[in-house]
Amino acid sequence: MNDRPPGRPRTIDPDAVSLLALRLFDERTYDAVSMDDVAAEAGVSRRSLFRLFPTKGSLVWGGLDEFRERFEDALASRPHDESSGDALRVAYRIAATFPAEAVDLTRRRLRVIRANPSLGQEGAFFITELEHTLVAFVAGRDGVSEEDLAVQVRCAVFAAAADAALTWWALHGGAGGPAEVVDGVLAGLV
């Protein structure tokens, strides 16, 4: 017997489902929680869950597109006379300024990623795309080839430093928010 009223199907909030899944992963570990567990806990069908999140890893990585969009928009808006290092620092700070409602979700997401190295494989595409954005921007700003070793190493260092700073913030908090933590770390690289 179906106890849902007839009419339009209810709307599923992907952020709420993702936060619920991240809480489960954080509490029980990623490997111990199945998609069936998430669906049951969220009160949605397995089919609906897979429609929103085609893999278990997408419950974790799904929200990082907004970070990349903020980052790319911030880079595109930087003044042309600003050094590439300063532009990267500001763009990372802007991207790491999460809306208040996304702070807990982001903190949990980063903790789950840190605790489960196997998630790196699924997130590799996101990380690679972000690094390509960095390399293209810095090479273009500095007037050198994207194949330039110094550019590629510099961008990899910036990306790794920002990732380490965000992960540290997720694990330890601190006086500042994620933007301040990232900015402080990247200030030492500029």
Side-chain angles (χ1 to χ4, degrees):
M1 178 161 165
N2 186 355
D3 48 343
R4 284 192 53 222
R8 285 181 51 160
R10 73 182 165 122
T11 303
I12 301 170
D13 178 3
D15 289 339
V17 173
S18 186
L19 179 57
L20 183 134
L22 288 165
R23 283 182 180 146
L24 292 172
F25 299 154
D26 214 10
E27 293 165 7
R28 298 187 210 163
T29 75
Y30 179 77
D31 291 332
V33 176
S34 70
M35 289 293 270
D36 287 334
D37 295 333
V38 173
E41 195 75 26
V44 299
S45 71
R46 179 178 162 83
R47 183 176 177 189
S48 294
L49 181 64
F50 275 103
R51 195 174 307 127
L52 289 172
F53 301 99
T55 66
K56 190 164 86 166
S58 63
L59 283 159
V60 178
W61 287 100
L64 294 175
D65 290 335
E66 292 93 19
F67 178 90
R68 188 178 69 228
E69 287 172 16
R70 282 193 309 273
F71 182 78
E72 290 173 351
D73 291 346
L75 276 183
S77 69
R78 301 310 309 149
H80 292 288
D81 60 345
E82 184 176 50
S83 74
S84 59
D86 287 336
L88 288 178
R89 179 180 171 203
V90 170
Y92 267 114
R93 181 180 177 87
I94 290 169
T97 303
F98 300 103
E101 65 274 6
V103 171
D104 186 44
L105 180 72
T106 302
R107 178 174 273 124
R108 288 181 185 274
R109 176 177 285 128
L110 292 168
R111 284 198 315 240
V112 168
I113 291 168
R114 169 66 181 252
N116 299 280
S118 63
L119 280 167
Q121 292 174 340
E122 196 154 340
F125 176 76
F126 169 81
I127 293 165
T128 300
E129 286 298 306
L130 191 60
E131 286 183 5
H132 285 308
T133 299
L134 266 71
V135 168
F137 176 81
V138 171
R141 179 65 56 105
D142 294 352
V144 296
S145 166
E146 290 183 27
E147 299 302 315
D148 184 89
L149 177 61
V151 167
Q152 290 193 11
V153 169
R154 189 164 160 232
C155 291
V157 168
F158 258 85
D163 179 60
L166 284 169
T167 300
W168 182 90
W169 163 79
L171 296 171
H172 304 288
E180 291 78 20
V181 172
V182 168
D183 190 59
V185 167
L186 295 184
L189 298 178
V190 177

